[in-house]
C-alpha cells in the first residue's frame, strides 16, 4: 500500500513539474522552439521539481521530531521555513549551476543576467509549495489535538465513574461496617472515631468527584482518611508511610493517590506474616511516588489495569509527561508527575 502511494505521489510530482516548466516556457517565449529545447526544458523542470517535491518527505521526517504546531507555532514556522529555504536553495542553485554554468562552461554573472527571473520564479513556487505543506500539517496536528482532547475527556469521565463506583462498592462498605460493628463491642471510643472518619471519607468523595484537579495537600488529607479505615481493618499488617516535602506543591487528579493505594491493597497479600508496606513521597522534581513491597495474591482472580492506564493518559495530557511505572521482584512503584499551574 505504501509503495503504491509513493508511486502515485511520484507520478503527480513528475506531471506537475513538467506542467510548471511548460508554463514558464509559454510565458518566456512560447512553444515555437526546436524540439531539443522543449526536451531540455522538461529535463530541467524534472531536475528542479522532483527534489523540491521531495521537500514533503523531508518535512514529514523533520516534523515528527522537531515540529509542534499547537504548543510552539511561531518556533515551528521559523524552524520549518529555515529547513525549506536551506534545502530549496541548495536544489535551485545546485541544479542551475549544473545546467547553466558547469555544462556550458559559463559564469554566475552571465547566468544571473539572463536567468534572474527564472530563479525568482522558482523561489516563488517554493513558497507556494511550502505554504501548502505547512497548512496541511497544521490542520492535521490541530485535528489530532482535538481528537485527543475528546478522547481524554471520555476517559476522564469513565475513570471518575469507575473510581466512585469502586469506593462505594458494597464490598468496601460491607468491610467498613463490619469493622465498625466489631469496634463497637471492643472499643466504643475508637468506634466513634472510626465512624467519623468513614463519614468524612464519603463526604470528601462526593466533593472531589466533580473536580478536575485538586491541591496535593487536599489529596493527601483525603488518602489519610482512607488509610485510617484500612489500617483499622488490617491492623499492623498494613503500614503506610507518608513522607512530606514542604518545598514542593502542585495539583493532582482527584482520588488518584487513593486509587494507587487501593491498588496496592487490592493486588497484594496482607497478613501479620507478610505485612504490606506502602510509602508515599514527593520528590524535588515534582513527582508523587507511591511504592509498595511486592507480594502478589496467590489467587487467580483477574484484575483490570484500565484505571491505571486511564489515569496515566490523563496525567500525560495535563502535564505532557508520562507516568512512570516500575516493577521488580521486590517492589512496585508509580511516579505521578504533579500538575503545575502557570502563574
Amino acid at each position: 500500500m505504501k509503495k503504491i502511494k509513493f508511486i502515485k505521489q511520484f507520478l503527480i510530482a513528475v506531471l506537475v513539474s513538467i506542467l510548471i516548466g511548460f508554463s514558464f516556457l509559454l510565458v518566456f517565449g512560447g512553444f515555437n522552439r526546436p524540439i531539443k529545447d522543449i526536451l531540455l526544458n522538461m529535463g530541467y523542470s524534472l531536475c528542479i521539481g522532483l527534489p523540491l517535491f521531495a521537500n514533503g518527505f523531508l518535512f514529514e521526517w523533520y516534523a515528527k521530531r522537531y515540529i509542534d504546531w499547537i504548543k510552539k507555532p511561531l518556533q515551528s514556522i521559523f524552524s520549518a521555513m529555515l529547513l525549506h529555504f536551506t534545502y530549496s536553495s541548495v536544489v535551485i542553485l545546485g541544479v542551475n549551476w549544473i545546467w547553466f554554468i558547469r555544462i556550458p562552461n559559463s559564469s554566475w554573472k552571465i547566468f544571473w543576467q539572463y536567468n534572474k527571473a527564472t530563479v525568482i520564479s522558482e523561489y516563488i513556487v517554493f513558497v507556494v509549495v511550502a505554504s501548502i505543506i505547512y497548512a496541511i500539517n497544521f490542520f492535521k496536528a490541530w485535528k489530532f489535538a482535538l481528537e485527543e482532547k475528546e478522547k481524554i475527556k471520555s476517559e476522564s469521565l469513565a475513570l471518575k465513574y469507575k473510581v466512585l463506583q469502586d469506593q462505594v462498592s458494597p464490598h468496601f462498605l460491607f468491610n467498613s461496617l463490619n469493622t465498625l460493628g466489631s469496634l463497637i463491642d471492643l472499643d466504643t471510643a475508637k468506634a466513634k472515631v472510626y465512624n467519623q472518619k468513614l463519614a468524612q471519607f464519603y463526604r470528601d468523595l462526593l466533593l472531589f468527584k466533580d473536580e478536575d484537579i485538586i491541591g496535593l495537600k487536599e489529596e493527601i488529607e483525603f488518602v489519610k482518611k482512607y488509610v485510617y479505615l484500612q489500617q483499622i481493618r488490617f491492623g499492623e499488617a498494613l503500614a503506610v508511610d507518608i513522607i512530606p516535602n514542604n518545598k514542593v506543591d502542585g495539583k493532582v487528579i482527584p482520588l488518584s493517590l487513593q486509587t494507587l493505594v487501593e491498588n496496592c491493597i487490592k493486588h497484594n497479600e496482607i497478613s501479620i506474616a507478610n505485612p504490606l508496606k506502602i510509602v508515599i513521597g514527593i520528590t524535588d522534581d515534582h513527582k508523587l511516588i507511591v511504592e509498595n513491597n511486592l507480594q502478589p495474591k496467590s489467587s487467580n482472580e483477574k484484575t483490570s489495569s484500565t484505571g491505571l492506564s486511564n489515569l496515566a493518559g490523563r496525567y500525560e495530557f495535563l502535564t505532557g509527561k508520562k507516568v512512570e511505572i516500575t516493577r521488580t521482584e521486590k517492589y512496585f512503584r508509580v511516579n505521578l508527575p504533579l500538575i503545575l499551574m502557570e502563574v
Side-chain angles (χ1 to χ4, degrees):
M1 186 64 70
K2 289 184 178 179
K3 187 176 180 180
I4 296 175
K5 183 180 179 181
F6 174 79
I7 293 174
K8 286 182 178 179
Q9 290 176 336
F10 177 78
L11 293 176
I12 292 173
V14 169
L15 181 61
V16 173
S17 298
I18 293 175
L19 289 175
I20 292 175
F22 279 166
S23 300
F24 280 109
L25 191 66
L26 182 63
V27 171
F28 295 106
F31 292 112
N32 189 21
R33 295 188 179 192
I35 188 67
K36 178 183 176 181
D37 289 350
I38 295 177
L39 291 175
L40 287 173
N41 175 270
M42 290 175 61
Y44 174 77
S45 298
L46 289 173
C47 288
I48 284 285
L50 292 180
L52 289 180
F53 271 97
N55 252 342
F57 297 102
L58 175 64
F59 180 75
E60 185 177 346
W61 172 86
Y62 185 80
K64 288 179 180 179
R65 292 161 175 80
Y66 307 108
I67 297 294
D68 191 335
W69 293 112
I70 305 301
K71 294 182 179 179
K72 301 176 181 178
L74 294 178
Q75 180 181 326
S76 296
I77 290 173
F78 177 79
S79 176
M81 286 297 296
L82 181 62
L83 170 71
H84 277 302
F85 182 81
T86 302
Y87 175 81
S88 298
S89 294
V90 171
V91 172
I92 292 171
L93 297 178
V95 171
N96 280 290
W97 178 77
I98 293 172
W99 277 79
F100 298 107
I101 298 176
R102 184 71 179 85
I103 294 177
N105 195 23
S106 183
S107 66
W108 278 107
K109 184 177 180 182
I110 296 174
F111 165 76
W112 190 250
Q113 182 179 354
Y114 293 101
N115 296 280
K116 184 189 299 183
T118 301
V119 174
I120 293 173
S121 300
E122 288 168 352
Y123 269 101
I124 292 174
V125 171
F126 147 71
V127 171
V128 172
V129 172
S131 299
I132 292 172
I133 292 173
Y134 298 160
I136 291 173
N137 279 272
F138 170 77
F139 282 108
K140 280 183 178 179
W142 175 70
K143 182 182 178 183
F144 179 78
L146 285 180
E147 290 174 348
E148 283 295 297
K149 188 175 181 180
E150 289 303 315
K151 180 182 176 182
I152 293 297
K153 280 184 178 179
S154 299
E155 290 180 349
S156 173
L157 291 174
L159 182 59
K160 281 183 178 180
Y161 175 75
K162 183 181 183 305
V163 171
L164 180 62
Q165 186 182 50
D166 287 346
Q167 299 305 335
V168 298
S169 65
H171 181 69
F172 176 79
L173 186 59
F174 173 78
N175 286 332
S176 300
L177 294 178
N178 221 9
T179 303
L180 179 60
S182 300
L183 284 175
I184 290 174
D185 294 332
L186 298 174
D187 190 333
T188 306
K190 198 171 186 178
K192 289 182 179 179
V193 175
Y194 183 88
N195 185 55
Q196 290 174 354
K197 293 288 184 181
L198 184 61
Q200 290 173 1
F201 175 82
Y202 276 96
R203 182 194 64 191
D204 291 346
L205 181 68
L206 295 174
L207 288 174
F208 292 159
K209 73 181 181 66
D210 293 324
E211 298 292 331
D212 291 323
I213 56 174
I214 63 171
L216 175 60
K217 293 179 181 178
E218 290 179 282
E219 180 73 5
I220 289 176
E221 288 303 315
F222 176 74
V223 84
K224 283 180 179 178
K225 298 181 179 70
Y226 177 76
V227 168
Y228 175 86
L229 298 175
Q230 296 292 357
Q231 285 181 323
I232 292 295
R233 176 185 171 195
F234 293 105
E236 295 182 358
L238 175 64
V240 180
D241 188 11
I242 301 177
I243 304 173
N245 187 343
N246 296 326
K247 297 185 295 182
V248 176
D249 196 10
K251 302 284 186 178
V252 294
I253 295 173
L255 311 181
S256 55
L257 182 55
Q258 183 273 333
T259 299
L260 295 179
V261 173
E262 181 192 22
N263 280 341
C264 297
I265 295 172
K266 183 188 297 183
H267 302 308
N268 289 276
E269 181 183 344
I270 306 176
S271 64
I272 296 298
N274 294 291
L276 180 66
K277 299 176 182 178
I278 302 173
V279 178
I280 300 171
I282 304 102
T283 66
D284 290 339
D285 58 345
H286 299 90
K287 289 181 181 178
L288 181 61
I289 298 177
V290 178
E291 178 181 310
N292 66 278
N293 57 314
L294 195 61
Q295 41 195 40
K297 289 182 177 179
S298 56
S299 65
N300 295 322
E301 179 185 355
K302 293 184 178 180
T303 58
S304 172
S305 60
T306 304
L308 184 56
S309 62
N310 282 352
L311 190 65
R314 291 172 66 196
Y315 267 100
E316 185 174 359
F317 177 77
L318 290 172
T319 66
K321 300 177 182 178
K322 292 184 178 296
V323 170
E324 300 171 12
I325 300 174
T326 307
R327 181 189 177 107
T328 70
E329 293 182 357
K330 295 184 177 180
Y331 68 86
F332 184 83
R333 178 191 299 154
V334 179
N335 288 8
L336 290 181
L338 292 178
I339 301 167
L340 304 178
M341 307 302 293
E342 296 182 1
V343 180

